C-alpha cells in the first residue's frame, strides 16, 4: 500500500503507463485540466502556477483596457459609453449600452453619416480579444464590403461598450446596418475570443432577437481574417433580406 | 421510403460490386453543427433506410462483368426503395476484390455512378475498400468507443482487407489476395477454375488440385488451412511468411501493431461467426468460402487479440461506401457553383508557403506545383492544394491572393475553373482577395479544411445547407491511375 501511494505521488502529467488508453484519449481531446497528478493532497506546483497564470490572463482580459496604439493602428475613432470606470462597467450593464448627448454630437461631427454599414468595436469583457483579432478582421471586412459596393462608415471604438451600444450609435448616425465586434467573456482556455454582432436598421431598444452573431472568433476557432470575409457575405445577405436576427436565419 | 425534403439530410447510395456479390444500400446522413465548433458542419447521424438484396455479381465470362445485369439490379433496387435518381445527393459505387481487375470494371462503375446521381463517386482500391469495410462493420466505432486498437478483417470472395483503427484514427490497411472464391467448383465438386493466388498456395504446398479434377476433402483442407494461416499472418504483421508477402496487394509498407480486438466481416467473415454445421455442404456456394471460414474459426482461440462480432458482416463494405465516403468542407467556402459537381480531379500539392515571404517567392512555390501539373494533366483539370499558406493575417493572405492571380493569369485557358484547396480555414477571405485583386473575373472554386495528399483524387459536390458547405470526397486511388 505504502509503495502504491508513493508511486502515485508526484507522478508527472502525461504518464501513459498509469491510465487506460480511453482516458488518455479524453485527456488529449479535452482542454480541461485532467490528470495533472498531485503532490500530497494538492496539484503539483507547476500545474498550480499554470492555473493561476491562466486565471490571471482571464482577469487581465476583463480588467485591462485596449491600448491606444491598437485603436490608432486600426484607424478607429474612440468614444466612451455612459460608463466612467471599469467598476461601473461591470456593475451597470445598462450604462454600457448608450452614449451621451456630447458623444452623439462628436460622432455626428467626425463620422460619415447615413453609411450603408457602420462598424463598431467594443472592449466588452475582453480587451485581449479585441487586440488579438481586430487588426486582421477589420481590413478584411472593410475591404470586402467596399468592393461589393457598400459605403462603410467611420469605424468607431467604444470604451466600456456593451453589445447594444450598436443600436444607439447606428440610430444616431442613420446607418443601414451595424456590425459590432465585442470581446467575449474570457474563460480559462482562451481569453482571446471575439463575437461579431450584426443588426439591420438599428434602433435603440430593439430586442436581441433582431441581431445575428458569429461567435468564437479566435486563432483556434474561426480565424479573424476569415471571420471578416464571412461577415462581408452575412452583411450582404442582411441587406438583400432587409432584416436581421432570428426571423431571417 | 419517401424521399426527404429536409435540406439537413443527404440521401446517400452505396453500391458494392464485389468478387462474389453485389449489393446496394440507401442511407440518410443527417447534418448538424459540429460539437464545440460554432461554424462547422458534420454528419451527426447515419440511418440505413434501404438494404438491397445481396445478389451474385453477374459475369459474362472470367474477365468481364455483365454490365446490363448490374444496371438492371441497380434500377430494380432503386425502384424498390421508392427512390428516383434526382433525390440522390451523394454516395459511392465501389468495385472491390477481384472484380476490380475485370476488363470493363472501370467503365461500369463510372457509368453507374453517373446514372445514379449527380454526386455519386466511382471508386476502387483495396486500401479504401478495407477502410470502408471497417467503418461499415462497426470496428471503427469500437475503436473510438474503447480508445483501443481494433483490426477489421474483411474476408471476401477474392481478397482479404485489413484496416486497423486506433481511437478515432485509421492507422493503416493491409490487403491480401486471399478469399473464398479463389477456387470454383461445379455441382459434382470438380474444380472449374483456380485463380492465380490459389495456384500459388497449391504450388507451394504441392497439393493435387487442378481444373477438371475433384480433389479429396483432406487436400482442400490443407489448401484452406494454408490460406487461413496467411490471413492470420497478415493480421499479426511483420515478419511475414514469404508466401503471404508475395500475395500482398499494396505492398508491405505497414507497421506491426499491438491489437486489442479483432473483428471479421465480409462474406467469409459472416460464415466464421455462423457455423454452417454438417447440414449444408462445404461446397454450398461452389467455392472455398465455408471451408475457409471453418479454418479461420479454428484459429480464433490462438489469435493475438480477442475476436469480437461485427454489427454488419457481408454488407460491411457497401454500408461503409454508402455512409462514410463523404466528408464536408469547412463552412466558410467560396465556390462558383456553375462548375460543380467536379469529379476525379487529381490533387497537385504545392510546397508549403510558410517560409516564402516575398511575392516572387510565393509565385515560385506555386509554379513548382502548376508547372508539374501542366506536364501531367494537359487539360489543366486538377486541384491545387496549398498545405500551408502561412499565418492567417490579412496582409499575408492578400499577398498569397496576388500570387494566385498571377499563376491563374498565366496558366489557365478559357473559363476552366481554378480549383484551390487549403488545409487552413481561409477560403472565403482568399477568394474575396483574389476577386478584388484580379483584373477580370476568376472562376474560382476554393474549398478549405480538407487535407488531401499529392496524387489523391477529389470530388466536389454541389453546395448544401444553403451554400454553407460542399460535400467532398478524397479518393486515394482510382483504378491505380
Amino acid at each position: 500500500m505504502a509503495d502504491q501511494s508513493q508511486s502515485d505521488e508526484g507522478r508527472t502529467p502525461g504518464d501513459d503507463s498509469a491510465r487506460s488508453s480511453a482516458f488518455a484519449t479524453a485527456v488529449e481531446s479535452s482542454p480541461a485540466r485532467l490528470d495533472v497528478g498531485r503532490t500530497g493532497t494538492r496539484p503539483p506546483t507547476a500545474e498550480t502556477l499554470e492555473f493561476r497564470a491562466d486565471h490571471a490572463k482571464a482577469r487581465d482580459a476583463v480588467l485591462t483596457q485596449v491600448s491606444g496604439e491598437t485603436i490608432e493602428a486600426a484607424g478607429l475613432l474612440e468614444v466612451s459609453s455612459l460608463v466612467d470606470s471599469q467598476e461601473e462597467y461591470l456593475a451597470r450593464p445598462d450604462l454600457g449600452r448608450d452614449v451621451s448627448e456630447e458623444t452623439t454630437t462628436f460622432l455626428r461631427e467626425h463620422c460619415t453619416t447615413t453609411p450603408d454599414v457602420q462598424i463598431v468595436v467594443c472592449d466588452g469583457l475582453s480587451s485581449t480579444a479585441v487586440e488579438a483579432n481586430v487588426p486582421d478582421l477589420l481590413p478584411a471586412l472593410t475591404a470586402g464590403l467596399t468592393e461589393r459596393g457598400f459605403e462603410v462608415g467611420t469605424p468607431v471604438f467604444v470604451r466600456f461598450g456593451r453589445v447594444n451600444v450598436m443600436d444607439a450609435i447606428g440610430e444616431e448616425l442613420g446607418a443601414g446596418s451595424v456590425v459590432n465586434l465585442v470581446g467575449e467573456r474570457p474563460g480559462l482556455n482562451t481569453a482571446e475570443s471575439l463575437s461579431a454582432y450584426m443588426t439591420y436598421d438599428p434602433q435603440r431598444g430593439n430586442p436581441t432577437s433582431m441581431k445575428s452573431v458569429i461567435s468564437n472568433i479566435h486563432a483556434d476557432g474561426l480565424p479573424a481574417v476569415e471571420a471578416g470575409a464571412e461577415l462581408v457575405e452575412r452583411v450582404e445577405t442582411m441587406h438583400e433580406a432587409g432584416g436581421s436576427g432570428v426571423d431571417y436565419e | 421510403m419517401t424521399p426527404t425534403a429536409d435540406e439537413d439530410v443527404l440521401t446517400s447510395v452505396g453500391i458494392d460490386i464485389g468478387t462474389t456479390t453485389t449489393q446496394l444500400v440507401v442511407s440518410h446522413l443527417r447534418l448538424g453543427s459540429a460539437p464545440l465548433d460554432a461554424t462547422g458542419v458534420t454528419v451527426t447521424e447515419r440511418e440505413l433506410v434501404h438494404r438491397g438484396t445481396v445478389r451474385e455479381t453477374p459475369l459474362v465470362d472470367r474477365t468481364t462483368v455483365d454490365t446490363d445485369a448490374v444496371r438492371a439490379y441497380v434500377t430494380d433496387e432503386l425502384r424498390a426503395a421508392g427512390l428516383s435518381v434526382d433525390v440522390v445527393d451523394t454516395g459511392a459505387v465501389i468495385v472491390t476484390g477481384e472484380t476490380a481487375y475485370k476488363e470493363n470494371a472501370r467503365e461500369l462503375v463510372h457509368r453507374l455512378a453517373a446514372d445514379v446521381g449527380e454526386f455519386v463517386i466511382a471508386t476502387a482500391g483495396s486500401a479504401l475498400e478495407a477502410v470502408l469495410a471497417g467503418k461499415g462493420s462497426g470496428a471503427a466505432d469500437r475503436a473510438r468507443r474503447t480508445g483501443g486498437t481494433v483490426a477489421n478483417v474483411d474476408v471476401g470472395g477474392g481478397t482479404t482487407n485489413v484496416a486497423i483503427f486506433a481511437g478515432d484514427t485509421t492507422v493503416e490497411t493491409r490487403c491480401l489476395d486471399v478469399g473464398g472464391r479463389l477456387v470454383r467448383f461445379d455441382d459434382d465438386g470438380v474444380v472449374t477454375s483456380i485463380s492465380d493466388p490459389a495456384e500459388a498456395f497449391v504450388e507451394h504446398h504441392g497439393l493435387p488440385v487442378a481444373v477438371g479434377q475433384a480433389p479429396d476433402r483432406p487436400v482442400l483442407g490443407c489448401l484452406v488451412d494454408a490460406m487461413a494461416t496467411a490471413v492470420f499472418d497478415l493480421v499479426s504483421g511483420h515478419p511475414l511468411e514469404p508466401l503471404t508477402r508475395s500475395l500482398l496487394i499494396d505492398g508491405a509498407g505497414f507497421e506491426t501493431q499491438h491489437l486489442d480486438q479483432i473483428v471479421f466481416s465480409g462474406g467469409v467473415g459472416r460464415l466464421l461467426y455462423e457455423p454452417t454445421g454438417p447440414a449444408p455442404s462445404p461446397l454450398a456456394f461452389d467455392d472455398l468460402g465455408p471451408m475457409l471460414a471453418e479454418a479461420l474459426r479454428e484459429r480464433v482461440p490462438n489469435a493475438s487479440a480477442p475476436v469480437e462480432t461485427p454489427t454488419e458482416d457481408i454488407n460491411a463494405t457497401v454500408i461503409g461506401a454508402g455512409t462514410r465516403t463523404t466528408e464536408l468542407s469547412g463552412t466558410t467556402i467560396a465556390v462558383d457553383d456553375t462548375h460543380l459537381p467536379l469529379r476525379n480531379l487529381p490533387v497537385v500539392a504545392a510546397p508549403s508557403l510558410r517560409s516564402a515571404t516575398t511575392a516572387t517567392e510565393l509565385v515560385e512555390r506555386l509554379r513548382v506545383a502548376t508547372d508539374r501539373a501542366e506536364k501531367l494533366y494537359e487539360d489543366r483539370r486538377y486541384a491545387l492544394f496549398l498545405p500551408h499558406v502561412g499565418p492567417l493575417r490579412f496582409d499575408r493572405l492578400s499577398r498569397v491572393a496576388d500570387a494566385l492571380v498571377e499563376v491563374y493569369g498565366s496558366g489557365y485557358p478559357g473559363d476552366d475553373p481554378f480549383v484551390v484547396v487549403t488545409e487552413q480555414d481561409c477560403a472565403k477571405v482568399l477568394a474575396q482577395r483574389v476577386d478584388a485583386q484580379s483584373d477580370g473575373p476568376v472562376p474560382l472554386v476554393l474549398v478549405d479544411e480538407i487535407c488531401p495528399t499529392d496524387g489523391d483524387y477529389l470530388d466536389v459536390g454541389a453546395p448544401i445547407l444553403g451554400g454553407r458547405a460542399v460535400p467532398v470526397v478524397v479518393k486515394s486511388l482510382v483504378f491505380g491511375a
Side-chain angles (χ1 to χ4, degrees):
Chain A
M1 267 319 271
D3 276 3
Q4 183 59 45
S5 82
Q6 202 82 51
S7 70
D8 209 34
E9 261 179 55
R11 186 159 63 77
T12 50
D15 178 2
D16 283 328
S17 61
R19 57 192 195 196
S20 74
S21 61
F23 185 58
T25 308
V27 170
E28 247 169 61
S29 60
S30 167
R33 282 155 231 266
L34 300 173
D35 192 36
V36 296
R38 67 186 178 93
T39 302
T41 57
R42 296 186 182 80
T45 309
E47 276 298 322
T48 309
L49 291 176
E50 199 181 305
F51 178 85
R52 291 180 62 175
D54 287 346
H55 191 223
K57 272 187 233 162
R59 290 176 60 91
D60 282 354
V62 176
L63 297 175
T64 59
Q65 313 238 316
V66 175
S67 72
E69 292 105 76
T70 305
I71 295 168
E72 200 180 316
L76 299 166
L77 180 70
E78 183 178 350
V79 296
S80 219
S81 70
L82 295 173
V83 170
D84 282 330
S85 68
Q86 194 67 32
E87 290 70 33
E88 188 177 44
Y89 177 72
L90 296 173
R92 294 286 305 272
D94 56 322
L95 297 182
R97 294 181 191 132
D98 214 333
V99 286
S100 68
E101 197 96 356
E102 291 96 313
T103 303
T104 306
T105 314
F106 176 82
L107 283 173
R108 288 229 188 82
E109 280 167 8
H110 292 87
C111 294
T112 309
T113 48
T114 65
D116 293 328
V117 185
Q118 174 66 43
I119 299 172
V120 174
V121 179
C122 292
D123 39 9
L125 285 168
S126 174
S127 55
T128 321
V130 170
E131 303 229 342
N133 296 295
V134 167
D136 288 301
L137 193 157
L138 199 58
L141 175 58
T142 310
L145 286 172
T146 308
E147 276 138 25
R148 294 193 184 199
F150 289 97
E151 190 196 7
V152 181
T154 316
V156 173
F157 175 77
V158 186
R159 204 167 282 288
F160 305 130
R162 297 253 172 197
V163 172
N164 286 356
V165 80
M166 68 197 287
D167 291 331
I169 291 173
E171 183 183 324
E172 293 297 344
L173 292 174
S177 68
V178 190
V179 175
N180 189 3
L181 309 172
V182 191
E184 288 174 10
R185 181 189 308 277
L188 284 165
N189 297 319
T190 177
E192 294 192 350
S193 192
L194 188 83
S195 282
Y197 290 84
M198 292 154 273
T199 194
Y200 188 78
D201 191 16
Q203 303 290 329
R204 282 187 181 87
N206 275 354
T208 305
S209 61
M210 288 176 69
K211 295 184 176 73
S212 303
V213 67
I214 298 176
S215 63
N216 280 310
I217 301 167
H218 57 97
D220 298 322
L222 182 63
V225 69
E226 186 73 348
E230 174 71 13
L231 278 167
V232 170
E233 297 193 359
R234 296 282 285 268
V235 167
E236 197 172 40
T237 312
M238 196 162 74
H239 278 256
E240 277 162 12
S244 56
V246 290
D247 293 341
Y248 294 88
E249 289 195 356
Chain B
M1 190 202 75
T2 47
T4 168
D6 187 346
E7 74 147 13
D8 293 349
V9 173
L10 296 181
T11 300
S12 176
V13 166
I15 302 172
D16 175 15
I17 305 162
T19 309
T20 318
T21 58
T22 291
Q23 199 190 3
L24 176 151
V25 295
V26 182
S27 47
H28 280 167
L29 312 181
R30 182 170 291 279
L31 309 176
S33 293
L36 302 177
D37 181 355
T39 53
V41 175
T42 185
V43 176
T44 53
E45 216 179 287
R46 300 176 169 86
E47 186 198 358
L48 205 61
V49 292
H50 178 76
R51 193 185 278 264
T53 9
V54 181
R55 74 127 64 179
E56 189 141 336
T57 299
L59 299 176
V60 176
D61 55 50
R62 267 189 80 171
T63 56
T64 325
V65 184
D66 185 342
T67 311
D68 291 339
V70 173
R71 292 176 65 154
Y73 164 76
V74 169
T75 313
D76 288 350
E77 285 299 336
L78 287 179
R79 194 178 301 130
L83 199 69
S84 71
V85 166
D86 45 328
V87 303
V88 175
D89 297 299
T90 183
V93 182
I94 182 166
V95 50
T96 57
E98 286 202 313
T99 307
Y101 308 140
K102 304 288 185 217
E103 276 167 11
N104 60 345
R106 182 193 186 119
E107 186 212 339
L108 168 68
V109 291
H110 279 112
R111 271 178 64 192
L112 262 184
D115 284 357
V116 174
E118 269 281 278
F119 185 58
V120 173
I121 63 157
T123 185
S126 46
L128 176 64
E129 187 184 333
V131 172
L132 292 180
K135 290 186 171 176
S137 77
D141 281 341
R142 214 173 245 284
R144 189 179 311 109
R145 223 173 39 240
T146 61
T149 304
V150 180
N152 189 74
V153 185
D154 191 87
V155 190
T159 53
T160 293
N161 299 311
V162 178
I164 296 176
F165 305 91
D168 53 9
T169 56
T170 305
V171 182
E172 61 182 34
T173 59
R174 307 168 183 176
C175 304
L176 192 68
D177 270 324
V178 168
R181 201 152 273 208
L182 296 188
V183 178
R184 302 214 57 181
F185 303 89
D186 67 13
D187 292 343
D188 304 319
V190 173
V191 174
T192 56
S193 71
I194 304 176
S195 68
D196 293 344
E199 199 66 65
F201 284 104
V202 166
E203 272 172 30
H204 189 264
H205 293 277
L207 299 170
V209 178
V211 174
Q213 293 170 10
D216 296 338
R217 202 48 48 82
V219 169
L220 292 179
C222 287
L223 178 58
V224 292
D225 248 15
M227 288 163 65
T229 304
V231 168
F232 275 93
D233 191 24
L234 179 74
V235 173
S236 23
H238 298 298
L240 295 178
E241 295 295 325
L243 180 58
T244 313
R245 183 174 278 271
S246 72
L247 294 170
L248 288 174
I249 297 171
D250 286 333
F254 49 79
E255 308 283 323
T256 293
Q257 306 283 341
H258 165 80
L259 301 177
D260 296 310
Q261 293 176 8
I262 299 172
V263 172
F264 281 89
S265 64
V268 175
R270 153 184 259 182
L271 297 171
L272 185 151
Y273 293 98
E274 233 178 66
T276 42
S281 134
L283 295 180
F285 305 103
D286 294 332
D287 62 18
L288 294 171
M291 279 188 284
L292 177 58
E294 175 78 43
L296 289 169
R297 188 164 56 239
E298 279 167 14
R299 283 167 170 72
V300 163
N302 300 322
S304 57
V307 173
E308 306 289 344
T309 27
T311 49
E312 292 291 340
D313 43 49
I314 192 166
N315 306 323
T317 308
V318 70
I319 286 171
T323 60
R324 304 293 181 125
T325 42
T326 303
E327 62 178 299
L328 298 166
S329 69
T331 47
T332 59
I333 51 162
V335 290
D336 180 343
D337 53 18
T338 51
H339 298 288
L340 299 178
L342 290 164
R343 287 203 182 97
N344 289 325
L345 282 183
V347 173
V348 177
S352 168
L353 304 181
R354 203 195 304 239
S355 60
T357 47
T358 65
T360 328
E361 279 170 350
L362 285 169
V363 171
E364 271 170 14
R365 299 266 169 108
L366 293 179
R367 286 248 161 87
V368 170
T370 55
D371 287 352
R372 187 160 57 88
E374 278 163 32
K375 284 193 199 89
L376 286 168
Y377 313 108
E378 281 176 16
D379 59 1
R380 307 279 205 280
R381 268 188 94 259
Y382 65 92
L384 178 64
F385 174 51
L386 307 180
H388 204 293
V389 297
L392 296 182
R393 314 226 68 123
F394 182 73
D395 294 346
R396 170 72 187 185
L397 291 168
S398 301
R399 280 203 300 279
V400 172
D402 273 333
L404 284 171
V405 168
E406 187 166 340
V407 167
Y408 173 79
S410 59
Y412 285 74
D415 49 4
D416 280 354
F418 186 28
V419 184
V420 181
V421 178
T422 64
E423 185 173 358
Q424 289 149 292
D425 188 0
C426 61
K428 214 149 226 176
V429 65
L430 210 47
Q432 285 182 9
R433 294 294 89 215
V434 167
D435 260 357
Q437 292 159 213
S438 67
D439 295 333
V442 177
L444 197 61
V445 174
L446 225 163
V447 177
D448 62 16
E449 294 184 81
I450 297 286
C451 188
T453 30
D454 195 81
D456 281 353
Y457 287 76
L458 208 65
D459 282 10
V460 184
I464 51 169
L465 295 172
R468 285 176 64 206
V470 288
V472 175
V473 182
V474 179
K475 293 173 287 186
S476 36
L477 182 73
V478 178
F479 293 98

